[in-house]
Amino acid sequence: MAERKKYCVNGEWRASKTDKWMPVTDSSTGELLAEVPCCTVEEVESAIASAEAAFPSWSQMSVSKRTQLMFRWRDVLMNHIEELTLLCSKELGKNLSEARGDVLKAIEPTELACATPFISQGSASLQVTAGFDTASYRVPLGVVAGIVPFNFPAMIPWGWMVPLAIATGNTVVLKAASLTPLTSMRILELFYEEAGFPKGVVNLVTCSRAEAEIFLTDPRVKAVTFVGTTDIGKHIYSAASANGKRVQAQCEAKNHALVLEDCDLESSVNAIINSTYGCAGMRCMALPVVVVQESIADRFVSMLKEKAMALKVGCAYDEGTNLGPVVTAAHKEKVCRWIQTGIDEGAELVLDGRDITVPGYENGYFVGPTIFDRVKPGMTIGDREIFGPVTLIKRVGSFEEGLALMNANPFANGSVIFTQSGYYAREFELRTDGGMVGVNVGIPVPSAYFPFSGNKDSFFGDQHVLGLDGVRFYTRAKTVTKHWYDEHSKKRAVDTWEGTVERV
């Protein structure tokens, strides 16, 4: 029988009283790695209570001391990169390079959080009026919740959510992804055991949407960061904001690339291969749709197919693997249904990855690289998120036609152009709806110093994760005006008041 994992409250791992357990599998073999609890409502409430109890002392700790803990935490993560890489690769299916990148993308925002004494500074003015000084500070909110997807078990909870939240003085409750919780659980063990954070600063539960609904209504929770599907993101945004909470809801994507006839074709195809098939397409910054100028479309598709077929599909944690499995058997079935939908809708299937088998890993959840050409407007495969290693080719005659087609999509997480024309590149920057824009860059994800800035149905909220947006999201402004009374200041105050009255 597989190990039954616990949930973490106040720095302690506790056995759940639930009667519902959720399987975590090795995506390459189908083997059951562990079971995690669907925590009860009472157990989720206990995590919130723990975070609330930890908040006063944590928020009042000096920012320099919190920062020293963040420096120590960064070193702990660096010391465990390979352990966390392998765990991420097993439970999710990313190849080792991609899984290592997942962990490194948790470390990068931790390094940003080490700069909290600078990036969280407010502003001040002396003598805003005679004898009066005003200062504006950034102060923590309180308890914040993070609702985590399965596809980045290190980066999203421990990069996008925890570092800036705790460095600015908040305490956290994470709802880890039930499909891939093991990496996040191991990181939390290190957080307390090796980094030495005070108990209750970060708490972790696994549960279903029903139990997590409390995050949207409980007055102790001041903000919610969510990453997942658009339908759920809209619900979280509307319900939580209606209860006075701040919300960051990072949602679905259908990123498009525009490939113009003057591009460096081979470099463009290489970038698209990496962005489309990396992480088996299971990331919101994948590049599943390529809008290609008709004059080069045949050459582009031929080259894309050749390079896709050269990718080694295999066990995620074999060093030579380029394309690992998707996360579960159910997700594999979903991706394969989308491929059949593309056939039924009349798109041209250039490469079919449904029947791939990896010797020795016959029970793994593998989908090979798949390519559809001549995807037309109105085909759902060209408009909806598939979240798998599927590339869709849309042909256009010109820059203007391609840009209009891209902007017609309801999602606007990222968009990319491949061209050698400075004019078209600049026009694209100005006019694309994409929140993160690439010019000859296949994955236009910014560093942690800038916000992850999706638009339209890809994001709901007003402050994005990371960068200064992240600092502002996890803090509120407190503006203080000061005046000190003595004989001189009393006279100045009277003079100021009388002058004000005279002006009025």
Side-chain angles (χ1 to χ4, degrees):
M1 182 176 178
E3 178 188 6
R4 286 191 161 177
K5 306 295 285 188
K6 299 177 180 180
Y7 67 101
C8 186
V9 168
N10 197 36
E12 302 168 352
W13 292 91
R14 301 178 181 178
S16 175
K17 296 180 180 178
T18 187
D19 59 1
K20 181 180 178 182
W21 294 85
M22 300 176 287
V24 182
T25 58
D26 181 324
S27 299
S28 297
T29 66
E31 173 192 3
L32 182 65
L33 295 175
E35 291 181 318
V36 295
C38 181
C39 290
T40 66
V41 171
E42 293 75 20
E43 290 166 349
V44 177
E45 287 180 334
S46 71
I48 296 172
S50 169
E52 183 187 36
F55 175 71
S57 60
W58 178 249
S59 61
Q60 292 165 26
M61 181 184 292
S62 71
V63 66
S64 59
K65 189 170 182 180
R66 290 201 304 264
T67 301
Q68 289 304 313
L69 281 167
M70 297 307 297
F71 275 111
R72 185 192 303 171
W73 175 228
R74 182 262 185 197
D75 290 344
V76 170
L77 289 173
M78 289 295 293
N79 291 338
H80 289 269
I81 285 177
E82 295 310 314
E83 173 195 356
L84 297 172
T85 292
L86 181 58
L87 189 53
C88 176
S89 182
K90 281 192 171 185
E91 67 174 341
L92 178 55
K94 291 182 179 181
N95 69 33
L96 289 172
S97 176
E98 293 160 353
R100 190 173 294 110
D102 194 331
V103 178
L104 290 171
K105 279 293 185 179
I107 294 172
E108 186 179 284
T110 303
E111 294 171 340
L112 172 63
C114 291
T116 297
F118 177 73
I119 60 177
S120 65
Q121 287 178 7
S123 57
S125 291
L126 289 169
Q127 286 289 91
V128 289
T129 188
F132 291 81
D133 308 326
T134 298
S136 181
Y137 305 101
R138 305 300 306 185
V139 298
L141 303 175
V143 178
V144 299
I147 301 176
V148 181
F150 71 79
N151 60 323
F152 280 89
M155 181 190 79
I156 290 178
W158 293 98
W160 287 14
M161 298 175 183
V162 170
L164 289 179
I166 65 172
T168 53
N170 302 281
T171 53
V172 178
V173 180
L174 291 174
K175 177 195 174 296
S178 58
L179 297 180
T180 57
L182 304 184
T183 304
S184 193
M185 288 177 166
R186 177 57 182 148
I187 292 174
L188 186 54
E189 289 175 352
L190 298 170
F191 182 82
Y192 286 117
E193 293 172 5
E194 295 195 18
F197 279 85
K199 291 185 176 182
V201 171
V202 177
N203 306 270
L204 183 148
V205 296
T206 47
C207 61
S208 73
R209 287 176 57 186
E211 294 80 20
E213 195 74 12
I214 190 174
F215 293 140
L216 316 184
T217 58
D218 192 307
R220 295 171 294 182
V221 176
K222 306 303 180 185
V224 179
T225 299
F226 165 80
V227 182
T229 64
T230 293
D231 286 346
I232 297 176
K234 285 181 176 179
H235 166 69
I236 288 173
Y237 179 70
S238 60
S241 58
N243 283 286
K245 305 181 191 305
R246 295 186 178 186
V247 183
Q248 295 168 318
Q250 304 279 349
C251 299
E252 292 174 58
K254 193 70 172 180
N255 303 325
H256 285 50
L258 178 56
V259 181
L260 298 184
E261 60 189 2
D262 70 335
C263 73
D264 181 318
L265 189 58
E266 181 155 6
S267 296
S268 301
V269 172
N270 287 338
I272 289 165
I273 285 282
N274 179 43
S275 58
T276 299
Y277 300 121
C279 304
M282 298 184 297
R283 58 185 177 195
C284 62
M285 287 304 290
L287 198 57
V289 183
V290 187
V291 181
V292 186
Q293 202 161 2
E294 183 69 57
S295 56
I296 60 167
D298 288 343
R299 283 191 293 145
F300 174 86
V301 173
S302 175
M303 189 178 295
L304 184 73
K305 179 180 179 181
E306 179 183 356
K307 291 180 180 293
M309 291 177 66
L311 294 173
K312 180 183 177 182
V313 181
C315 172
Y317 38 94
D318 282 353
E319 287 287 353
T321 293
N322 302 124
L323 177 60
V326 297
V327 65
T328 62
H331 194 74
K332 175 181 177 178
E333 291 174 8
K334 178 184 175 183
V335 173
C336 291
R337 285 197 303 271
W338 270 116
I339 296 172
Q340 186 58 50
T341 297
I343 296 170
D344 295 342
E345 291 181 333
E348 179 184 326
L349 184 61
V350 174
L351 184 62
D352 189 348
R354 288 176 293 179
D355 296 325
I356 194 164
T357 300
V358 177
Y361 297 92
E362 287 79 8
N363 294 322
Y365 314 130
F366 297 98
V367 180
T370 299
I371 300 172
F372 279 101
D373 193 6
R374 304 182 189 279
V375 177
K376 304 295 185 183
M379 292 182 177
T380 58
I381 56 164
D383 295 331
R384 297 288 303 279
E385 187 174 62
I386 296 174
F387 230 53
V390 181
T391 311
L392 309 158
I393 311 298
K394 299 179 180 180
R395 298 185 178 217
V396 295
S398 66
F399 170 83
E400 292 294 340
E401 182 185 353
L403 180 64
L405 185 153
M406 295 169 76
N407 283 346
N409 193 269
F411 304 111
N413 220 36
S415 59
V416 173
I417 187 170
F418 291 96
T419 182
Q420 296 301 307
S421 166
Y423 171 78
Y424 282 130
R426 187 170 185 275
E427 283 293 297
F428 188 80
E429 287 183 60
L430 289 170
R431 295 164 56 192
T432 179
D433 288 345
M436 288 164 283
V437 181
V439 177
N440 300 317
V441 174
I443 309 172
V445 176
S447 74
Y449 313 116
F450 295 89
F452 190 93
S453 46
N455 288 331
K456 294 168 67 172
D457 278 1
S458 294
F459 177 75
F460 301 94
D462 61 359
Q463 298 286 351
H464 293 83
V465 299
L466 300 178
L468 292 180
D469 269 27
V471 175
R472 287 187 283 263
F473 179 78
Y474 287 121
T475 57
R476 59 182 174 85
K478 176 179 284 189
T479 303
V480 180
T481 299
K482 293 178 283 189
H483 176 69
W484 300 101
Y485 286 98
D486 56 31
E487 290 304 318
H488 297 289
S489 63
K490 285 179 182 178
K491 184 177 186 307
R492 283 197 303 269
V494 170
D495 291 344
T496 301
W497 168 251
E498 289 176 349
T500 302
V501 171
E502 288 173 3
R503 286 195 301 273
V504 174

